PDB file of all heavy atoms in Angstrom:
ATOM      1  N   LEU A   1      -3.006 -15.312  25.025  1.00  0.00           N
ATOM      2  CA  LEU A   1      -3.432 -14.022  24.491  1.00  0.00           C
ATOM      3  C   LEU A   1      -3.772 -14.138  23.015  1.00  0.00           C
ATOM      4  O   LEU A   1      -4.720 -13.548  22.536  1.00  0.00           O
ATOM      5  CB  LEU A   1      -2.335 -12.968  24.693  1.00  0.00           C
ATOM      6  CG  LEU A   1      -2.133 -12.488  26.122  1.00  0.00           C
ATOM      7  CD1 LEU A   1      -0.961 -11.527  26.192  1.00  0.00           C
ATOM      8  CD2 LEU A   1      -3.376 -11.845  26.671  1.00  0.00           C
ATOM      9  N   THR A   2      -2.997 -14.920  22.272  1.00  0.00           N
ATOM     10  CA  THR A   2      -3.268 -15.110  20.853  1.00  0.00           C
ATOM     11  C   THR A   2      -4.599 -15.800  20.670  1.00  0.00           C
ATOM     12  O   THR A   2      -5.413 -15.393  19.850  1.00  0.00           O
ATOM     13  CB  THR A   2      -2.139 -15.925  20.201  1.00  0.00           C
ATOM     14  OG1 THR A   2      -0.922 -15.217  20.389  1.00  0.00           O
ATOM     15  CG2 THR A   2      -2.387 -16.120  18.723  1.00  0.00           C
ATOM     16  N   LYS A   3      -4.863 -16.853  21.445  1.00  0.00           N
ATOM     17  CA  LYS A   3      -6.130 -17.578  21.343  1.00  0.00           C
ATOM     18  C   LYS A   3      -7.300 -16.684  21.728  1.00  0.00           C
ATOM     19  O   LYS A   3      -8.383 -16.833  21.206  1.00  0.00           O
ATOM     20  CB  LYS A   3      -6.113 -18.817  22.251  1.00  0.00           C
ATOM     21  CG  LYS A   3      -5.174 -19.899  21.783  1.00  0.00           C
ATOM     22  CD  LYS A   3      -5.188 -21.061  22.743  1.00  0.00           C
ATOM     23  CE  LYS A   3      -4.141 -22.077  22.379  1.00  0.00           C
ATOM     24  NZ  LYS A   3      -4.028 -23.121  23.380  1.00  0.00           N
ATOM     25  N   GLU A   4      -7.031 -15.759  22.628  1.00  0.00           N
ATOM     26  CA  GLU A   4      -8.053 -14.857  23.133  1.00  0.00           C
ATOM     27  C   GLU A   4      -8.717 -14.033  22.026  1.00  0.00           C
ATOM     28  O   GLU A   4      -9.855 -13.642  22.131  1.00  0.00           O
ATOM     29  CB  GLU A   4      -7.374 -13.939  24.148  1.00  0.00           C
ATOM     30  CG  GLU A   4      -8.265 -13.076  24.949  1.00  0.00           C
ATOM     31  CD  GLU A   4      -7.456 -12.291  25.957  1.00  0.00           C
ATOM     32  OE1 GLU A   4      -6.776 -12.896  26.789  1.00  0.00           O
ATOM     33  OE2 GLU A   4      -7.518 -11.064  25.887  1.00  0.00           O
ATOM     34  N   LEU A   5      -8.001 -13.778  20.934  1.00  0.00           N
ATOM     35  CA  LEU A   5      -8.559 -12.975  19.858  1.00  0.00           C
ATOM     36  C   LEU A   5      -9.686 -13.684  19.132  1.00  0.00           C
ATOM     37  O   LEU A   5     -10.595 -13.047  18.636  1.00  0.00           O
ATOM     38  CB  LEU A   5      -7.464 -12.573  18.860  1.00  0.00           C
ATOM     39  CG  LEU A   5      -6.518 -11.498  19.362  1.00  0.00           C
ATOM     40  CD1 LEU A   5      -5.424 -11.232  18.346  1.00  0.00           C
ATOM     41  CD2 LEU A   5      -7.257 -10.217  19.683  1.00  0.00           C
ATOM     42  N   GLY A   6      -9.646 -14.974  19.018  1.00  0.00           N
ATOM     43  CA  GLY A   6     -10.739 -15.718  18.410  1.00  0.00           C
ATOM     44  C   GLY A   6     -10.657 -15.808  16.900  1.00  0.00           C
ATOM     45  O   GLY A   6      -9.707 -15.361  16.269  1.00  0.00           O
ATOM     46  N   GLU A   7     -11.700 -16.377  16.326  1.00  0.00           N
ATOM     47  CA  GLU A   7     -11.731 -16.669  14.893  1.00  0.00           C
ATOM     48  C   GLU A   7     -12.260 -15.520  14.052  1.00  0.00           C
ATOM     49  O   GLU A   7     -12.160 -15.534  12.832  1.00  0.00           O
ATOM     50  CB  GLU A   7     -12.575 -17.924  14.655  1.00  0.00           C
ATOM     51  CG  GLU A   7     -11.980 -19.158  15.306  1.00  0.00           C
ATOM     52  CD  GLU A   7     -12.824 -20.399  15.111  1.00  0.00           C
ATOM     53  OE1 GLU A   7     -13.872 -20.321  14.437  1.00  0.00           O
ATOM     54  OE2 GLU A   7     -12.433 -21.443  15.624  1.00  0.00           O
ATOM     55  N   THR A   8     -12.852 -14.531  14.689  1.00  0.00           N
ATOM     56  CA  THR A   8     -13.382 -13.362  13.988  1.00  0.00           C
ATOM     57  C   THR A   8     -12.925 -12.098  14.724  1.00  0.00           C
ATOM     58  O   THR A   8     -12.564 -12.163  15.899  1.00  0.00           O
ATOM     59  CB  THR A   8     -14.927 -13.391  13.945  1.00  0.00           C
ATOM     60  OG1 THR A   8     -15.424 -13.429  15.279  1.00  0.00           O
ATOM     61  CG2 THR A   8     -15.440 -14.595  13.166  1.00  0.00           C
ATOM     62  N   PRO A   9     -12.940 -10.955  14.054  1.00  0.00           N
ATOM     63  CA  PRO A   9     -12.514  -9.728  14.722  1.00  0.00           C
ATOM     64  C   PRO A   9     -13.359  -9.446  15.970  1.00  0.00           C
ATOM     65  O   PRO A   9     -14.583  -9.592  15.939  1.00  0.00           O
ATOM     66  CB  PRO A   9     -12.753  -8.645  13.667  1.00  0.00           C
ATOM     67  CG  PRO A   9     -12.743  -9.359  12.363  1.00  0.00           C
ATOM     68  CD  PRO A   9     -13.309 -10.715  12.653  1.00  0.00           C
ATOM     69  N   PRO A  10     -12.703  -9.060  17.070  1.00  0.00           N
ATOM     70  CA  PRO A  10     -13.455  -8.722  18.287  1.00  0.00           C
ATOM     71  C   PRO A  10     -14.196  -7.392  18.101  1.00  0.00           C
ATOM     72  O   PRO A  10     -13.734  -6.515  17.370  1.00  0.00           O
ATOM     73  CB  PRO A  10     -12.366  -8.586  19.347  1.00  0.00           C
ATOM     74  CG  PRO A  10     -11.146  -8.209  18.570  1.00  0.00           C
ATOM     75  CD  PRO A  10     -11.266  -8.885  17.233  1.00  0.00           C
ATOM     76  N   GLN A  11     -15.342  -7.263  18.726  1.00  0.00           N
ATOM     77  CA  GLN A  11     -16.122  -6.024  18.644  1.00  0.00           C
ATOM     78  C   GLN A  11     -15.800  -5.124  19.830  1.00  0.00           C
ATOM     79  O   GLN A  11     -15.863  -5.566  20.976  1.00  0.00           O
ATOM     80  CB  GLN A  11     -17.625  -6.333  18.648  1.00  0.00           C
ATOM     81  CG  GLN A  11     -18.110  -6.984  17.380  1.00  0.00           C
ATOM     82  CD  GLN A  11     -18.002  -6.047  16.186  1.00  0.00           C
ATOM     83  OE1 GLN A  11     -18.435  -4.915  16.222  1.00  0.00           O
ATOM     84  NE2 GLN A  11     -17.402  -6.540  15.113  1.00  0.00           N
ATOM     85  N   PRO A  12     -15.465  -3.866  19.572  1.00  0.00           N
ATOM     86  CA  PRO A  12     -15.239  -2.950  20.690  1.00  0.00           C
ATOM     87  C   PRO A  12     -16.572  -2.502  21.282  1.00  0.00           C
ATOM     88  O   PRO A  12     -17.610  -2.554  20.624  1.00  0.00           O
ATOM     89  CB  PRO A  12     -14.530  -1.764  20.025  1.00  0.00           C
ATOM     90  CG  PRO A  12     -15.071  -1.753  18.634  1.00  0.00           C
ATOM     91  CD  PRO A  12     -15.279  -3.208  18.277  1.00  0.00           C
ATOM     92  N   VAL A  13     -16.502  -2.079  22.523  1.00  0.00           N
ATOM     93  CA  VAL A  13     -17.661  -1.460  23.172  1.00  0.00           C
ATOM     94  C   VAL A  13     -17.339   0.024  23.259  1.00  0.00           C
ATOM     95  O   VAL A  13     -16.305   0.417  23.797  1.00  0.00           O
ATOM     96  CB  VAL A  13     -17.895  -2.062  24.583  1.00  0.00           C
ATOM     97  CG1 VAL A  13     -19.013  -1.326  25.293  1.00  0.00           C
ATOM     98  CG2 VAL A  13     -18.176  -3.547  24.485  1.00  0.00           C
ATOM     99  N   ILE A  14     -18.206   0.846  22.693  1.00  0.00           N
ATOM    100  CA  ILE A  14     -18.025   2.299  22.736  1.00  0.00           C
ATOM    101  C   ILE A  14     -19.169   2.865  23.560  1.00  0.00           C
ATOM    102  O   ILE A  14     -20.334   2.502  23.354  1.00  0.00           O
ATOM    103  CB  ILE A  14     -18.001   2.891  21.316  1.00  0.00           C
ATOM    104  CG1 ILE A  14     -16.813   2.310  20.542  1.00  0.00           C
ATOM    105  CG2 ILE A  14     -17.930   4.421  21.376  1.00  0.00           C
ATOM    106  CD1 ILE A  14     -16.711   2.738  19.103  1.00  0.00           C
ATOM    107  N   THR A  15     -18.831   3.727  24.526  1.00  0.00           N
ATOM    108  CA  THR A  15     -19.853   4.258  25.426  1.00  0.00           C
ATOM    109  C   THR A  15     -19.743   5.773  25.563  1.00  0.00           C
ATOM    110  O   THR A  15     -18.678   6.363  25.394  1.00  0.00           O
ATOM    111  CB  THR A  15     -19.749   3.628  26.833  1.00  0.00           C
ATOM    112  OG1 THR A  15     -18.442   3.864  27.345  1.00  0.00           O
ATOM    113  CG2 THR A  15     -20.028   2.138  26.799  1.00  0.00           C
ATOM    114  N   PHE A  16     -20.887   6.359  25.881  1.00  0.00           N
ATOM    115  CA  PHE A  16     -20.971   7.771  26.252  1.00  0.00           C
ATOM    116  C   PHE A  16     -21.782   7.817  27.531  1.00  0.00           C
ATOM    117  O   PHE A  16     -22.932   7.373  27.552  1.00  0.00           O
ATOM    118  CB  PHE A  16     -21.653   8.608  25.160  1.00  0.00           C
ATOM    119  CG  PHE A  16     -21.776  10.054  25.537  1.00  0.00           C
ATOM    120  CD1 PHE A  16     -20.690  10.898  25.443  1.00  0.00           C
ATOM    121  CD2 PHE A  16     -22.974  10.558  26.008  1.00  0.00           C
ATOM    122  CE1 PHE A  16     -20.796  12.229  25.806  1.00  0.00           C
ATOM    123  CE2 PHE A  16     -23.094  11.889  26.367  1.00  0.00           C
ATOM    124  CZ  PHE A  16     -21.998  12.731  26.266  1.00  0.00           C
ATOM    125  N   GLU A  17     -21.172   8.316  28.607  1.00  0.00           N
ATOM    126  CA  GLU A  17     -21.834   8.392  29.917  1.00  0.00           C
ATOM    127  C   GLU A  17     -22.473   7.045  30.278  1.00  0.00           C
ATOM    128  O   GLU A  17     -23.637   6.960  30.641  1.00  0.00           O
ATOM    129  CB  GLU A  17     -22.857   9.526  29.941  1.00  0.00           C
ATOM    130  CG  GLU A  17     -22.225  10.888  29.786  1.00  0.00           C
ATOM    131  CD  GLU A  17     -23.228  12.031  29.809  1.00  0.00           C
ATOM    132  OE1 GLU A  17     -24.460  11.800  29.688  1.00  0.00           O
ATOM    133  OE2 GLU A  17     -22.772  13.176  29.946  1.00  0.00           O
ATOM    134  N   ASN A  18     -21.705   5.977  30.136  1.00  0.00           N
ATOM    135  CA  ASN A  18     -22.096   4.594  30.477  1.00  0.00           C
ATOM    136  C   ASN A  18     -23.215   4.035  29.609  1.00  0.00           C
ATOM    137  O   ASN A  18     -23.790   3.008  29.936  1.00  0.00           O
ATOM    138  CB  ASN A  18     -22.454   4.469  31.958  1.00  0.00           C
ATOM    139  CG  ASN A  18     -21.260   4.752  32.838  1.00  0.00           C
ATOM    140  OD1 ASN A  18     -20.156   4.299  32.547  1.00  0.00           O
ATOM    141  ND2 ASN A  18     -21.476   5.512  33.894  1.00  0.00           N
ATOM    142  N   LYS A  19     -23.539   4.699  28.493  1.00  0.00           N
ATOM    143  CA  LYS A  19     -24.546   4.197  27.561  1.00  0.00           C
ATOM    144  C   LYS A  19     -23.828   3.722  26.303  1.00  0.00           C
ATOM    145  O   LYS A  19     -23.020   4.449  25.722  1.00  0.00           O
ATOM    146  CB  LYS A  19     -25.544   5.292  27.209  1.00  0.00           C
ATOM    147  CG  LYS A  19     -26.623   4.827  26.248  1.00  0.00           C
ATOM    148  CD  LYS A  19     -27.552   5.973  25.868  1.00  0.00           C
ATOM    149  CE  LYS A  19     -28.521   5.503  24.815  1.00  0.00           C
ATOM    150  NZ  LYS A  19     -28.311   6.117  23.526  1.00  0.00           N
ATOM    151  N   ALA A  20     -24.134   2.478  25.873  1.00  0.00           N
ATOM    152  CA  ALA A  20     -23.476   1.904  24.697  1.00  0.00           C
ATOM    153  C   ALA A  20     -23.896   2.615  23.418  1.00  0.00           C
ATOM    154  O   ALA A  20     -25.061   2.956  23.227  1.00  0.00           O
ATOM    155  CB  ALA A  20     -23.797   0.420  24.595  1.00  0.00           C
ATOM    156  N   ILE A  21     -22.918   2.835  22.561  1.00  0.00           N
ATOM    157  CA  ILE A  21     -23.122   3.393  21.226  1.00  0.00           C
ATOM    158  C   ILE A  21     -23.156   2.200  20.259  1.00  0.00           C
ATOM    159  O   ILE A  21     -22.390   1.255  20.403  1.00  0.00           O
ATOM    160  CB  ILE A  21     -21.945   4.330  20.850  1.00  0.00           C
ATOM    161  CG1 ILE A  21     -21.818   5.484  21.854  1.00  0.00           C
ATOM    162  CG2 ILE A  21     -22.054   4.830  19.425  1.00  0.00           C
ATOM    163  CD1 ILE A  21     -22.949   6.463  21.867  1.00  0.00           C
ATOM    164  N   SER A  22     -24.033   2.238  19.259  1.00  0.00           N
ATOM    165  CA  SER A  22     -24.107   1.158  18.272  1.00  0.00           C
ATOM    166  C   SER A  22     -22.849   1.164  17.402  1.00  0.00           C
ATOM    167  O   SER A  22     -22.507   2.198  16.827  1.00  0.00           O
ATOM    168  CB  SER A  22     -25.335   1.325  17.379  1.00  0.00           C
ATOM    169  OG  SER A  22     -26.512   1.281  18.153  1.00  0.00           O
ATOM    170  N   VAL A  23     -22.183   0.004  17.345  1.00  0.00           N
ATOM    171  CA  VAL A  23     -20.945  -0.147  16.578  1.00  0.00           C
ATOM    172  C   VAL A  23     -21.167  -1.248  15.542  1.00  0.00           C
ATOM    173  O   VAL A  23     -21.746  -2.288  15.852  1.00  0.00           O
ATOM    174  CB  VAL A  23     -19.769  -0.521  17.499  1.00  0.00           C
ATOM    175  CG1 VAL A  23     -18.481  -0.699  16.701  1.00  0.00           C
ATOM    176  CG2 VAL A  23     -19.584   0.512  18.597  1.00  0.00           C
ATOM    177  N   TYR A  24     -20.667  -1.017  14.324  1.00  0.00           N
ATOM    178  CA  TYR A  24     -20.870  -1.959  13.226  1.00  0.00           C
ATOM    179  C   TYR A  24     -19.535  -2.420  12.661  1.00  0.00           C
ATOM    180  O   TYR A  24     -18.597  -1.626  12.541  1.00  0.00           O
ATOM    181  CB  TYR A  24     -21.707  -1.308  12.119  1.00  0.00           C
ATOM    182  CG  TYR A  24     -23.043  -0.842  12.637  1.00  0.00           C
ATOM    183  CD1 TYR A  24     -23.196   0.452  13.143  1.00  0.00           C
ATOM    184  CD2 TYR A  24     -24.133  -1.699  12.682  1.00  0.00           C
ATOM    185  CE1 TYR A  24     -24.418   0.879  13.652  1.00  0.00           C
ATOM    186  CE2 TYR A  24     -25.361  -1.276  13.192  1.00  0.00           C
ATOM    187  CZ  TYR A  24     -25.479   0.012  13.671  1.00  0.00           C
ATOM    188  OH  TYR A  24     -26.682   0.424  14.192  1.00  0.00           O
ATOM    189  N   GLN A  25     -19.484  -3.701  12.314  1.00  0.00           N
ATOM    190  CA  GLN A  25     -18.283  -4.252  11.685  1.00  0.00           C
ATOM    191  C   GLN A  25     -18.071  -3.575  10.342  1.00  0.00           C
ATOM    192  O   GLN A  25     -19.017  -3.328   9.603  1.00  0.00           O
ATOM    193  CB  GLN A  25     -18.453  -5.762  11.474  1.00  0.00           C
ATOM    194  CG  GLN A  25     -17.252  -6.439  10.832  1.00  0.00           C
ATOM    195  CD  GLN A  25     -16.025  -6.412  11.715  1.00  0.00           C
ATOM    196  OE1 GLN A  25     -16.044  -6.949  12.818  1.00  0.00           O
ATOM    197  NE2 GLN A  25     -14.961  -5.785  11.254  1.00  0.00           N
ATOM    198  N   SER A  26     -16.821  -3.275  10.038  1.00  0.00           N
ATOM    199  CA  SER A  26     -16.473  -2.728   8.736  1.00  0.00           C
ATOM    200  C   SER A  26     -15.360  -3.598   8.155  1.00  0.00           C
ATOM    201  O   SER A  26     -15.212  -4.754   8.554  1.00  0.00           O
ATOM    202  CB  SER A  26     -16.066  -1.262   8.881  1.00  0.00           C
ATOM    203  OG  SER A  26     -16.003  -0.642   7.615  1.00  0.00           O
ATOM    204  N   SER A  27     -14.567  -3.072   7.251  1.00  0.00           N
ATOM    205  CA  SER A  27     -13.542  -3.847   6.552  1.00  0.00           C
ATOM    206  C   SER A  27     -12.569  -4.501   7.530  1.00  0.00           C
ATOM    207  O   SER A  27     -12.246  -3.929   8.573  1.00  0.00           O
ATOM    208  CB  SER A  27     -12.764  -2.942   5.603  1.00  0.00           C
ATOM    209  OG  SER A  27     -13.643  -2.375   4.660  1.00  0.00           O
ATOM    210  N   TYR A  28     -12.118  -5.702   7.173  1.00  0.00           N
ATOM    211  CA  TYR A  28     -11.171  -6.417   8.020  1.00  0.00           C
ATOM    212  C   TYR A  28     -10.389  -7.456   7.228  1.00  0.00           C
ATOM    213  O   TYR A  28     -10.802  -7.884   6.155  1.00  0.00           O
ATOM    214  CB  TYR A  28     -11.883  -7.101   9.195  1.00  0.00           C
ATOM    215  CG  TYR A  28     -12.816  -8.217   8.783  1.00  0.00           C
ATOM    216  CD1 TYR A  28     -12.357  -9.528   8.687  1.00  0.00           C
ATOM    217  CD2 TYR A  28     -14.150  -7.969   8.497  1.00  0.00           C
ATOM    218  CE1 TYR A  28     -13.221 -10.551   8.298  1.00  0.00           C
ATOM    219  CE2 TYR A  28     -15.011  -8.982   8.116  1.00  0.00           C
ATOM    220  CZ  TYR A  28     -14.535 -10.273   8.022  1.00  0.00           C
ATOM    221  OH  TYR A  28     -15.379 -11.288   7.629  1.00  0.00           O
ATOM    222  N   CYS A  29      -9.243  -7.845   7.787  1.00  0.00           N
ATOM    223  CA  CYS A  29      -8.475  -9.028   7.389  1.00  0.00           C
ATOM    224  C   CYS A  29      -8.139  -9.734   8.688  1.00  0.00           C
ATOM    225  O   CYS A  29      -7.533  -9.142   9.589  1.00  0.00           O
ATOM    226  CB  CYS A  29      -7.200  -8.654   6.647  1.00  0.00           C
ATOM    227  SG  CYS A  29      -7.488  -8.244   4.925  1.00  0.00           S
ATOM    228  N   TRP A  30      -8.558 -10.969   8.797  1.00  0.00           N
ATOM    229  CA  TRP A  30      -8.433 -11.673  10.067  1.00  0.00           C
ATOM    230  C   TRP A  30      -7.847 -13.058   9.876  1.00  0.00           C
ATOM    231  O   TRP A  30      -8.263 -13.786   8.969  1.00  0.00           O
ATOM    232  CB  TRP A  30      -9.803 -11.776  10.749  1.00  0.00           C
ATOM    233  CG  TRP A  30      -9.673 -12.014  12.202  1.00  0.00           C
ATOM    234  CD1 TRP A  30      -9.905 -13.171  12.883  1.00  0.00           C
ATOM    235  CD2 TRP A  30      -9.217 -11.074  13.166  1.00  0.00           C
ATOM    236  NE1 TRP A  30      -9.628 -12.996  14.212  1.00  0.00           N
ATOM    237  CE2 TRP A  30      -9.198 -11.715  14.412  1.00  0.00           C
ATOM    238  CE3 TRP A  30      -8.812  -9.746  13.097  1.00  0.00           C
ATOM    239  CZ2 TRP A  30      -8.801 -11.086  15.592  1.00  0.00           C
ATOM    240  CZ3 TRP A  30      -8.417  -9.116  14.266  1.00  0.00           C
ATOM    241  CH2 TRP A  30      -8.420  -9.775  15.485  1.00  0.00           C
ATOM    242  N   ASN A  31      -6.895 -13.408  10.725  1.00  0.00           N
ATOM    243  CA  ASN A  31      -6.283 -14.730  10.698  1.00  0.00           C
ATOM    244  C   ASN A  31      -7.022 -15.654  11.644  1.00  0.00           C
ATOM    245  O   ASN A  31      -7.291 -15.287  12.780  1.00  0.00           O
ATOM    246  CB  ASN A  31      -4.809 -14.654  11.120  1.00  0.00           C
ATOM    247  CG  ASN A  31      -3.982 -13.875  10.132  1.00  0.00           C
ATOM    248  OD1 ASN A  31      -4.217 -13.957   8.938  1.00  0.00           O
ATOM    249  ND2 ASN A  31      -3.025 -13.109  10.619  1.00  0.00           N
ATOM    250  N   ASN A  32      -7.342 -16.832  11.171  1.00  0.00           N
ATOM    251  CA  ASN A  32      -7.954 -17.863  12.007  1.00  0.00           C
ATOM    252  C   ASN A  32      -6.861 -18.892  12.275  1.00  0.00           C
ATOM    253  O   ASN A  32      -6.682 -19.840  11.518  1.00  0.00           O
ATOM    254  CB  ASN A  32      -9.154 -18.489  11.297  1.00  0.00           C
ATOM    255  CG  ASN A  32      -9.896 -19.461  12.170  1.00  0.00           C
ATOM    256  OD1 ASN A  32      -9.341 -20.014  13.117  1.00  0.00           O
ATOM    257  ND2 ASN A  32     -11.151 -19.693  11.849  1.00  0.00           N
ATOM    258  N   ALA A  33      -6.096 -18.669  13.361  1.00  0.00           N
ATOM    259  CA  ALA A  33      -4.940 -19.500  13.671  1.00  0.00           C
ATOM    260  C   ALA A  33      -5.317 -20.965  13.868  1.00  0.00           C
ATOM    261  O   ALA A  33      -4.568 -21.859  13.472  1.00  0.00           O
ATOM    262  CB  ALA A  33      -4.233 -18.960  14.912  1.00  0.00           C
ATOM    263  N   SER A  34      -6.480 -21.232  14.442  1.00  0.00           N
ATOM    264  CA  SER A  34      -6.870 -22.625  14.703  1.00  0.00           C
ATOM    265  C   SER A  34      -7.112 -23.403  13.406  1.00  0.00           C
ATOM    266  O   SER A  34      -6.918 -24.600  13.353  1.00  0.00           O
ATOM    267  CB  SER A  34      -8.113 -22.688  15.598  1.00  0.00           C
ATOM    268  OG  SER A  34      -9.232 -22.156  14.926  1.00  0.00           O
ATOM    269  N   LYS A  35      -7.516 -22.711  12.340  1.00  0.00           N
ATOM    270  CA  LYS A  35      -7.761 -23.369  11.051  1.00  0.00           C
ATOM    271  C   LYS A  35      -6.650 -23.111  10.041  1.00  0.00           C
ATOM    272  O   LYS A  35      -6.650 -23.693   8.957  1.00  0.00           O
ATOM    273  CB  LYS A  35      -9.097 -22.898  10.464  1.00  0.00           C
ATOM    274  CG  LYS A  35     -10.296 -23.344  11.274  1.00  0.00           C
ATOM    275  CD  LYS A  35     -11.584 -22.898  10.613  1.00  0.00           C
ATOM    276  CE  LYS A  35     -12.782 -23.339  11.460  1.00  0.00           C
ATOM    277  NZ  LYS A  35     -14.030 -22.831  10.901  1.00  0.00           N
ATOM    278  N   GLY A  36      -5.721 -22.220  10.387  1.00  0.00           N
ATOM    279  CA  GLY A  36      -4.638 -21.900   9.470  1.00  0.00           C
ATOM    280  C   GLY A  36      -5.111 -21.153   8.232  1.00  0.00           C
ATOM    281  O   GLY A  36      -4.532 -21.280   7.164  1.00  0.00           O
ATOM    282  N   THR A  37      -6.173 -20.356   8.375  1.00  0.00           N
ATOM    283  CA  THR A  37      -6.715 -19.605   7.241  1.00  0.00           C
ATOM    284  C   THR A  37      -6.851 -18.137   7.602  1.00  0.00           C
ATOM    285  O   THR A  37      -6.754 -17.759   8.762  1.00  0.00           O
ATOM    286  CB  THR A  37      -8.108 -20.135   6.832  1.00  0.00           C
ATOM    287  OG1 THR A  37      -9.005 -19.971   7.945  1.00  0.00           O
ATOM    288  CG2 THR A  37      -8.060 -21.590   6.420  1.00  0.00           C
ATOM    289  N   GLY A  38      -7.106 -17.339   6.603  1.00  0.00           N
ATOM    290  CA  GLY A  38      -7.367 -15.917   6.812  1.00  0.00           C
ATOM    291  C   GLY A  38      -8.506 -15.468   5.922  1.00  0.00           C
ATOM    292  O   GLY A  38      -8.759 -16.071   4.878  1.00  0.00           O
ATOM    293  N   THR A  39      -9.194 -14.417   6.351  1.00  0.00           N
ATOM    294  CA  THR A  39     -10.332 -13.899   5.601  1.00  0.00           C
ATOM    295  C   THR A  39     -10.258 -12.380   5.572  1.00  0.00           C
ATOM    296  O   THR A  39      -9.922 -11.758   6.578  1.00  0.00           O
ATOM    297  CB  THR A  39     -11.660 -14.308   6.270  1.00  0.00           C
ATOM    298  OG1 THR A  39     -11.698 -15.719   6.406  1.00  0.00           O
ATOM    299  CG2 THR A  39     -12.847 -13.842   5.468  1.00  0.00           C
ATOM    300  N   CYS A  40     -10.612 -11.813   4.429  1.00  0.00           N
ATOM    301  CA  CYS A  40     -10.701 -10.360   4.309  1.00  0.00           C
ATOM    302  C   CYS A  40     -12.079  -9.997   3.775  1.00  0.00           C
ATOM    303  O   CYS A  40     -12.673 -10.760   3.000  1.00  0.00           O
ATOM    304  CB  CYS A  40      -9.637  -9.817   3.352  1.00  0.00           C
ATOM    305  SG  CYS A  40      -7.960  -9.955   3.983  1.00  0.00           S
ATOM    306  N   ALA A  41     -12.583  -8.854   4.192  1.00  0.00           N
ATOM    307  CA  ALA A  41     -13.868  -8.348   3.699  1.00  0.00           C
ATOM    308  C   ALA A  41     -13.791  -6.832   3.619  1.00  0.00           C
ATOM    309  O   ALA A  41     -13.203  -6.189   4.489  1.00  0.00           O
ATOM    310  CB  ALA A  41     -15.005  -8.766   4.623  1.00  0.00           C
ATOM    311  N   ASP A  42     -14.370  -6.273   2.561  1.00  0.00           N
ATOM    312  CA  ASP A  42     -14.419  -4.828   2.380  1.00  0.00           C
ATOM    313  C   ASP A  42     -15.856  -4.331   2.532  1.00  0.00           C
ATOM    314  O   ASP A  42     -16.787  -4.980   2.055  1.00  0.00           O
ATOM    315  CB  ASP A  42     -13.909  -4.432   0.994  1.00  0.00           C
ATOM    316  CG  ASP A  42     -12.404  -4.546   0.880  1.00  0.00           C
ATOM    317  OD1 ASP A  42     -11.714  -4.285   1.881  1.00  0.00           O
ATOM    318  OD2 ASP A  42     -11.916  -4.892  -0.215  1.00  0.00           O
ATOM    319  N   TYR A  43     -16.005  -3.202   3.198  1.00  0.00           N
ATOM    320  CA  TYR A  43     -17.312  -2.591   3.414  1.00  0.00           C
ATOM    321  C   TYR A  43     -17.303  -1.192   2.824  1.00  0.00           C
ATOM    322  O   TYR A  43     -16.254  -0.622   2.563  1.00  0.00           O
ATOM    323  CB  TYR A  43     -17.621  -2.502   4.912  1.00  0.00           C
ATOM    324  CG  TYR A  43     -17.947  -3.808   5.571  1.00  0.00           C
ATOM    325  CD1 TYR A  43     -16.981  -4.779   5.803  1.00  0.00           C
ATOM    326  CD2 TYR A  43     -19.240  -4.079   5.998  1.00  0.00           C
ATOM    327  CE1 TYR A  43     -17.284  -5.974   6.421  1.00  0.00           C
ATOM    328  CE2 TYR A  43     -19.556  -5.277   6.624  1.00  0.00           C
ATOM    329  CZ  TYR A  43     -18.572  -6.228   6.826  1.00  0.00           C
ATOM    330  OH  TYR A  43     -18.887  -7.404   7.441  1.00  0.00           O
TER     331      TYR A  43
END
């Protein structure tokens, strides 16, 4: 489950009546367990 998260934040799928809504990455702090590093970004 931990590996499942990946090296970057996962993108959610948001829908209305089975139609996808455009979603954009915003601020985050993410751990890259495989590299032992973390990254933060502000939007």
